[in-house]
Amino acid sequence: LGEDQALQLTLHKSTSIERGGNRGYRFVFGATLQGEKIFYASGSPLIIEIIGKQVVYFYRDLFWLPKDELERVPELEKREAYSIANVLANNYRLLSEILVKEGKLGADAKQASTFETIVDRITEVHYGYLKQSAGKDGEQAMLVPVWAVTIQGICFYFDIDDATALGYTVVSTGVL
């Protein structure tokens, strides 16, 4: 991506793969914008699979964002936002319900779920941008400033301005 591009790709994960007795690698890339992580509700910005010397799979979900258009992207550090403590306080019951639904928290634990129960299970908290899908009417994909909270292998996304839950992604299938 050229110097006029604020979007940067980074290697997120590489794994060895095998197909039809041939070995190769799968490379999954993440993306940042102005140094802040972009979270994808589903998929990744770039996935490449190579078997032998041949690319056998190529997936791309990128967008072009020249520097002169960056003014339209809300900057994280220049805004008053909900604190992460307030985001969690407003949404811990929702988090508990989703954790039960996804099998990460027993139904009996849901009954006793308190703010502290949920907070004790947090493994990561980041802020960044959530790439929302393009609309059906041809509208552009949007980047929304978010708090991203990972609890027991599920990454939850909350609007940084009003603490609204925007969705979640199961990033790990194991129960922690």
Side-chain angles (χ1 to χ4, degrees):
L1 304 176
E3 284 184 30
D4 64 335
Q5 180 60 270
L7 179 72
Q8 297 294 316
L9 293 175
T10 56
L11 181 62
H12 175 71
K13 183 178 177 183
S14 70
T15 54
S16 59
I17 58 174
E18 187 173 336
R19 285 209 188 119
N22 297 317
R23 297 188 63 128
Y25 295 93
R26 180 178 196 190
F27 300 99
V28 179
F29 292 84
T32 61
L33 178 65
Q34 300 173 326
E36 303 299 341
K37 186 173 181 177
I38 298 175
F39 298 94
Y40 280 65
S42 63
S44 295
L46 183 65
I47 301 171
I48 302 170
E49 292 182 0
I50 300 172
I51 302 285
K53 295 181 179 181
Q54 188 173 17
V55 173
V56 295
Y57 180 78
F58 183 88
Y59 172 82
R60 180 183 69 180
D61 185 6
L62 296 172
F63 52 93
W64 178 251
L65 192 64
K67 282 188 178 181
D68 61 335
E69 290 188 25
L70 284 176
E71 295 168 5
R72 289 194 257 162
V73 177
E75 292 185 43
L76 294 175
E77 65 277 353
K78 294 182 179 176
R79 61 191 311 121
E80 289 188 31
Y82 263 70
S83 71
I84 189 60
N86 286 334
V87 168
L88 294 170
N90 289 340
N91 291 288
Y92 76 90
R93 287 182 187 93
L94 173 66
L95 294 171
S96 177
E97 290 173 14
I98 293 170
L99 289 167
V100 168
K101 175 183 157 195
E102 293 293 338
K104 304 290 185 168
L105 187 65
D108 57 332
K110 181 182 183 271
Q111 301 296 330
S113 285
T114 63
F115 177 78
E116 292 79 19
T117 304
I118 298 303
V119 170
D120 286 347
R121 296 171 186 261
I122 294 173
T123 54
E124 291 183 39
V125 175
H126 296 281
Y127 62 84
Y129 298 98
L130 175 64
K131 180 185 177 285
Q132 293 186 321
S133 301
K136 293 179 183 176
D137 300 330
E139 61 190 41
Q140 292 273 329
M142 290 180 47
L143 293 178
V144 178
V146 295
W147 283 109
V149 179
T150 303
I151 304 172
Q152 294 196 229
I154 301 177
C155 188
F156 298 91
Y157 309 106
F158 299 95
D159 189 296
I160 211 164
D161 291 320
D162 62 11
T164 302
L166 298 175
Y168 66 93
T169 304
V170 178
V171 293
S172 169
T173 56
V175 176
L176 301 176

